[in-house]
Amino acid sequence: MINIVLFGKPGAGKGTQADFLKEKYNLTHLSTGDIFRYNIKNNTALGALAKNYMDKGDLVPDEVTIQMLQSEVDNNPNSAGFLFDGFPRTIAQADALDHFLKTKNQEITATVALEADDEILVQRLLERGKTSGRSDDQDEEKIRNRYQEYNEKTAPLMNYYQEQGKFHAVNGIGSVAEVTERLSTVIDKL
Ligand code: B4P
């Protein structure tokens, strides 16, 4: 059983790559961003709460996100392994995930990061914003706020996983297929 964290700045291509990796390695894909967007679309209480934060480009509070993620894992008891996309995004989330997996006699196998320059990613997100309807992709100020959130709260996770000897990084710039190939090279060696 392998459990992989797909890591990277906003727009680095986590969701794009997860679509390929989940098939290739038979993993259950859990994207906290997608789950929040699903809840917003379906007007749930969780969606209403998350929307306030996501619209501004802020992270949704840890307690809400952690609880949601744990119930998604619990809902997939026969999974052959998980691909965590966009989670954890804070040290508190990473700690909670480690403890939670431990209660199931499991652990994170590796964290694989997609590396890319902020300016390229801002352009990617603005481009996606033209068609995605995502309010957090349409305003450069909100996008920049997402990078600030990343730098303050998410970037420290690199150290967190490095200290556990579980951190791997690949170049996230190139064609989608090239990036999938780079990620596969890392995952095949795990
Ligand atoms: P997410 O939904 O996780 O999304 P993301 O960071 O915007 O994007 P991702 O890296 O998945 O990029 P993608 O493949 O789509 O987060 C959105 C919000 O949800 C957060 O800001 C936060 O508010 C909330 N949230 C989610 N998880 C949370 C958590 N754990 N805690 C608290 N809050 C949380 O690719 C982006 C674009 O690039 C696409 O248009 C794609 O087509 C393009 N692209 C991809 N690969 C490319 C390539 N190789 N070359 C050129 N373009 C490429």
Side-chain angles (χ1 to χ4, degrees):
M1 181 150 186
I2 58 169
N3 293 308
I4 294 175
V5 173
L6 204 48
F7 187 84
K9 293 173 188 168
K14 302 180 291 291
T16 304
Q17 293 300 327
D19 282 341
F20 294 98
L21 299 177
K22 70 180 178 194
E23 300 293 340
K24 187 163 182 186
Y25 297 99
N26 187 27
L27 299 172
T28 303
H29 174 207
L30 292 184
S31 158
T32 39
D34 285 350
I35 301 166
F36 286 135
R37 281 185 288 276
Y38 175 86
N39 277 277
I40 291 171
K41 203 171 149 207
N42 289 286
N43 294 313
T44 68
L46 174 64
L49 192 149
K51 191 174 189 315
N52 285 326
Y53 296 93
M54 290 172 77
D55 277 350
K56 288 186 257 171
D58 289 342
L59 291 184
V60 179
D62 282 338
E63 56 277 20
V64 178
T65 311
I66 290 166
Q67 223 177 59
M68 179 183 84
L69 191 277
Q70 291 181 346
S71 49
E72 291 288 331
V73 172
D74 284 336
N75 287 341
N76 288 280
N78 300 319
S79 175
F82 289 92
L83 182 58
F84 297 104
D85 160 10
F87 185 96
R89 262 178 156 101
T90 63
I91 296 281
Q93 292 181 13
D95 271 336
L97 182 61
D98 278 353
H99 287 117
F100 176 62
L101 290 178
K102 212 169 174 186
T103 65
K104 296 179 175 296
N105 288 321
Q106 288 183 48
E107 61 176 358
I108 292 300
T109 313
T111 292
V112 193
L114 293 168
E115 290 185 327
D117 183 71
D118 287 13
E119 294 312 312
I120 294 176
L121 297 184
V122 170
Q123 291 315 314
R124 270 193 199 177
L125 293 182
L126 284 169
E127 201 49 46
R128 179 170 69 181
K130 289 179 190 166
T131 53
S132 69
R134 278 180 58 171
S135 59
D136 60 343
D137 282 349
Q138 289 171 13
D139 177 335
E140 189 160 342
E141 209 173 305
K142 289 179 187 175
I143 293 176
R144 301 254 172 224
N145 182 47
R146 286 159 69 189
Y147 287 91
Q148 201 166 325
E149 287 277 84
Y150 172 89
N151 289 331
E152 276 173 29
K153 298 173 183 170
T154 309
L157 287 176
M158 287 190 259
N159 227 346
Y160 180 94
Y161 286 113
Q162 255 155 8
E163 281 171 1
Q164 294 188 12
K166 292 181 177 173
F167 188 81
H168 308 262
V170 306
N171 180 1
I173 302 300
S175 71
V176 171
E178 279 166 350
V179 178
T180 309
E181 187 64 38
R182 289 175 203 145
L183 290 168
S184 301
T185 303
V186 172
I187 296 170
D188 287 342
K189 286 187 195 145
L190 295 174

